Amino acid sequence: MLTLKTESDAELAVAAAQAGAAVVRSMYGDSLPRFEKTAGDFATAADLAAEKAICDVLRTARPDDAVTGEEGGQQGAGDAARRWLVDPLCGTLNYAAHTMLVAVNVALRLGTDITAAASADPFTEEVFWTDGERACLRRDGVDEELAPSPDSRLVDVNLDPPFPNAPAFRAVRLLADPDFVQEFRPRVVSTTLAVAWVAAGRRAAYITDGHLRDSVHFSAGIALCRAAGCTVTGIDGRPLHTGAGGLIVAADRQTHAALLDMISRQEPSDR
């Protein structure tokens, strides 16, 4: 069994994610108030309550740290070296439709690096965590190393906006690519829990468009996958947060190369 030093940043990320997950789990199935954000996007009372629970844990342990929350925005100094990125309920549309596919994400950015992160599944009560070097799964108080694997051939594709590289790149076109259909099987769960699943060997890869630097949604999963030894780049194969942006995270180099080749062959516009 692996152990973490008490009060370490990684342990704090785990504790904060578990606090948020407990709220999400306890409010599941209730008729919850909704708070409109943009067209087609909203938060529920569970999002807000979970973020409060997470921030309470973080502020108690690290009162001088800054926090960026999906719902509450930035708190603390704008140029803070230590900033927690909090997504209290990734998969709100799933949750509101009584679908148990969500994640609670907590990540610490120290300077320009994510040095600790946790992604919790409220319903299995699993927590995927990293201290920046190791990537582990905590289940029933026991930690085990994550082991990426391409064997499932399942590739999760994010079809939710925004799509900053459209029409040159559209993730949805991969689903109709003959080579993709022959080599992989698509999945669309619409939560960044699927990013953690790549690190855990439950998905062969994950693909999304978007600008993901300091993303409350993706920072935890990206950190997990990097620590687990996955291949992680933008959609154009360049280092993350450069070039076209977006994300390809794959269990191994071969899977990544195959997906990158399919993406590079996309037509520059829809026909």
Side-chain angles (χ1 to χ4, degrees), residues 31-270:
S31 180
L32 300 173
R34 297 186 181 188
F35 307 93
E36 297 298 326
K37 296 162 70 172
T38 60
D41 188 22
F42 58 85
T44 70
D47 295 72
L48 274 62
E51 185 165 308
K52 181 181 184 303
I54 292 166
C55 290
D56 285 349
V57 171
L58 297 176
R59 288 196 195 97
T60 297
R62 303 284 192 273
D64 296 328
D65 287 2
V67 176
T68 297
E70 165 73 1
E71 311 308 333
Q74 291 195 12
Q75 304 168 44
D79 60 351
R82 291 175 55 89
R83 178 171 294 277
W84 294 91
L85 306 172
V86 175
D87 184 0
L89 206 174
C90 188
T92 298
L93 297 180
N94 287 344
Y95 186 81
H98 296 179
T99 303
M100 294 181 179
L101 285 171
V102 302
V104 176
N105 296 317
V106 178
L108 173 64
R109 176 174 58 72
L110 182 57
T112 59
D113 299 323
I114 302 299
T115 57
S119 184
D121 182 334
F123 300 107
T124 64
E125 300 189 47
E126 297 176 320
V127 184
F128 306 87
W129 63 263
T130 180
D131 58 6
E133 297 180 0
R134 297 170 295 168
C136 300
L137 168 63
R138 181 171 296 182
R139 185 192 293 115
D140 297 327
V142 177
D143 292 323
E144 62 183 65
E145 296 275 359
L146 295 179
S149 170
D151 291 350
S152 72
R153 312 312 296 163
L154 301 178
V155 175
D156 228 277
V157 180
N158 180 25
L159 302 183
D160 292 328
F163 309 119
N165 286 293
F169 167 76
R170 291 188 187 276
V172 68
R173 284 206 293 262
L174 283 176
L175 308 183
D177 186 308
D179 290 340
F180 184 93
V181 173
Q182 181 176 351
E183 193 164 350
F184 301 109
R185 291 293 179 270
R187 291 295 181 271
V188 181
V189 300
S190 296
T191 169
T192 53
L193 184 62
V195 184
W197 286 349
V198 179
R202 302 176 187 180
R203 290 289 189 271
Y206 182 97
I207 299 170
T208 185
D209 199 354
H211 302 303
L212 308 183
R213 187 184 296 278
D214 275 357
S215 169
V216 297
H217 308 291
F218 286 94
S219 292
I222 290 171
L224 283 161
C225 288
R226 280 176 160 167
C230 300
T231 301
V232 182
T233 71
I235 56 170
D236 55 3
R238 296 178 63 178
L240 210 58
H241 313 313
T242 66
L247 174 69
I248 305 174
V249 55
D252 63 356
R253 292 181 180 179
Q254 291 77 14
T255 298
H256 181 273
L259 291 168
L260 182 61
D261 180 61
M262 294 173 200
I263 290 171
S264 69
R265 298 199 310 263
Q266 285 201 6
E267 294 293 331
S269 60
D270 293 325

